[in-house]
Amino acid sequence: MAYEVMARIDAMADDLFAEGVEAERLGKLADETAKKMREAGVIRMLQPKEHGGLEVHPREFAETVMRMASLNPSAGWVHGIVGVHPWQLAFADPRCQEEIWASDPDTWMASPYMPGGVCIPVEGGYRFSGRWQFSSGTDHCDWAFLGAMVGGSDGKPLIPPQALHVIIPRSDYEIVEDSWDVVGLRGTGSKDLVVKDVFVPDYRVMDGGKVIDGTAVREYGRTETLYLLPWSTMFPLGITSATVGICEGLLRHADDYQRGRINAQGTAVKDDPYTMFAVGEAAADLRAARDSLLANVDRMWDLVDAGKTPTFEQRAEGRQTQVQAAWRAVTAIDRIYARCGGNALRMDKPLQRFWRDAHAGLHHAIHVPGTVFHGASLSRLGVEPPPHLQVMI
């Protein structure tokens, strides 16, 4: 099944690349791109089979995200983020699954999970308000997962905080149209969302802590290996895969550009041993970044498939590997792009767009290395990290 999705992406490669230029101009995915992604089934890859999904191995999902991002960075980014949401919805309340997928298994869900809202308990559910940034692909989504905190009657979050993931339809939130004017990943349309005092029934609210520590999926009763994988393995996977894929796209365009280029000294670049060594070394680093990310997913899959529950230390090691893969990939293409000469800076060449988009990918919160590396190091020493070092692990 996954190979069919990849084949469809390959068949649309030229169109997807051209539409990436259009997405940059529009500040969101072109409608044609979203249509192609639906036809290819990319957002249904991690979706349960009983709701029209493919339930593929997460490695296969990551590989298709990389391929998409290498052609159209913004489409790859949306593929990686929106494509993970069906994985979580698979262990949400069945009433919620029916509400979203019954009439259209290709329904897309936006996010983000950042706790930008407050949920005040009322009979049967919550009153919900807030504002969120970075809702990637939101113009083509009909539902959203939004992060929130439980609040008191005064509207302020309770202490200690209680995190929620709230599932709401497009009719309950506003997209702020002029909120995405950025230097990279412009075509993702990652706009702000606003919710103003809407009612959300209990069955459309998930306990954020239980989602992240794996309790939610076990309470639901899922037994498939795919859905028993840690949230901290699955949620970052699409984002890092997209970042690596964008870097692979830059390498391909750099190779095409350098193939016939003559440098400022009048030497064919292919005959310049200094450039060839530097680019070769960087390309090997980029390949290693890809391989380490995929091997990390395979390792976690094998662990869970054997009936084991990953420890915090194992989850932290996985996150450490994933973050390092992103930084290694972007650092590699910095060395490649810097050796493409002054004309590579021109806006009519794709190199600069891929370079900007790759760097924008590093700005996502899941790619911040400090707390992840610190928490992983403490875990390896047998020390339980404090709560702020356990976030997103």
Side-chain angles (χ1 to χ4, degrees), residues 32-45:
E32 265 309 303
T33 303
K35 180 181 178 183
K36 287 181 174 67
M37 293 170 70
R38 292 179 196 277
E39 291 171 349
V42 299
I43 305 301
R44 289 186 288 112
M45 297 189 77

Side-chain angles (χ1 to χ4, degrees), residues 118-122 127 150-158:
V118 174
C119 281
I120 300 173
V122 296
R127 300 304 306 183
V150 178
S153 57
D154 60 359
K156 296 180 180 179
L158 298 179

Side-chain angles (χ1 to χ4, degrees), residues 188-391:
T188 63
S190 302
K191 301 171 183 177
D192 292 9
L193 304 183
V194 175
V195 173
K196 298 178 181 178
D197 192 34
V198 302
F199 173 75
V200 183
D202 286 328
Y203 71 86
R204 285 208 258 111
V205 178
M206 302 181 77
D207 183 313
K210 288 184 176 182
V211 169
I212 292 173
D213 71 12
T215 303
V217 66
R218 286 169 173 79
E219 287 182 348
Y220 182 91
R222 286 276 182 195
T223 58
E224 303 92 336
T225 299
L226 173 61
Y227 301 114
L228 294 177
L229 287 166
W231 188 88
S232 59
T233 295
M234 295 302 297
F235 173 71
L237 180 61
I239 299 167
T240 305
S241 297
T243 304
V244 171
I246 295 167
C247 293
E248 291 178 330
L250 184 141
L251 174 60
R252 187 181 71 251
H253 288 293
D255 285 345
D256 290 344
Y257 178 60
Q258 299 274 48
R259 195 166 283 116
R261 179 173 163 254
I262 306 298
N263 66 21
Q265 289 75 42
T267 302
V269 170
K270 62 184 175 63
D271 295 326
D272 175 356
Y274 307 107
T275 298
M276 288 295 96
F277 175 84
V279 172
E281 182 181 48
D285 259 350
L286 176 53
R287 193 174 308 112
R290 175 194 181 95
D291 290 347
S292 67
L293 180 64
L294 296 177
N296 188 55
V297 175
D298 287 341
R299 184 164 49 250
M300 197 65 76
W301 175 278
D302 292 344
L303 181 70
V304 173
D305 199 47
K308 299 177 182 178
T309 300
T311 63
F312 181 85
E313 182 178 347
Q314 289 169 325
R315 291 180 358 227
E317 287 178 350
R319 281 282 285 127
Q320 186 180 42
T321 299
Q322 169 258 318
V323 171
Q324 183 66 11
W327 282 85
R328 190 174 190 178
V330 176
T331 301
I333 58 116
D334 279 347
R335 306 203 304 275
I336 294 168
Y337 188 45
R339 288 169 172 83
C340 288
N343 281 316
L345 298 171
R346 297 189 182 279
M347 297 299 284
D348 63 351
K349 289 189 166 48
L351 288 163
Q352 49 76 29
R353 176 164 54 89
F354 279 75
W355 183 79
R356 287 186 287 109
D357 288 350
H359 275 271
L362 278 190
H363 283 251
H364 195 286
I366 65 131
H367 286 150
V368 175
T371 54
V372 171
F373 288 5
H374 190 177
S377 295
L378 289 177
S379 295
R380 201 170 57 254
L381 296 176
V383 177
E384 182 178 355
H388 74 280
L389 296 182
Q390 297 186 28
V391 176

Side-chain angles (χ1 to χ4, degrees), residues 129-173:
S129 298
R131 181 166 181 147
W132 296 257
Q133 295 179 310
F134 311 119
S135 184
S136 297
T138 197
D139 286 292
H140 295 96
C141 295
D142 293 314
W143 287 77
F145 270 112
L146 298 177
M149 293 294 182
V150 178
S153 57
D154 60 359
K156 296 180 180 179
L158 298 179
I159 302 297
Q162 299 176 33
L164 301 175
H165 293 173
V166 183
I167 303 169
I168 65 173
R170 178 74 168 266
S171 57
D172 282 354
Y173 59 88

Side-chain angles (χ1 to χ4, degrees), residues 39-82:
E39 291 171 349
V42 299
I43 305 301
R44 289 186 288 112
M45 297 189 77
L46 302 177
Q47 193 162 310
K49 289 180 179 178
E50 69 264 29
H51 288 290
L54 305 179
E55 279 189 36
V56 306
H57 192 293
R59 178 194 181 98
E60 297 172 314
F61 170 72
E63 289 172 329
T64 60
V65 171
M66 290 176 183
R67 176 57 172 153
M68 180 76 78
S70 76
L71 298 166
N72 181 325
S74 292
W77 186 264
V78 172
H79 179 182
I81 290 181
V82 176

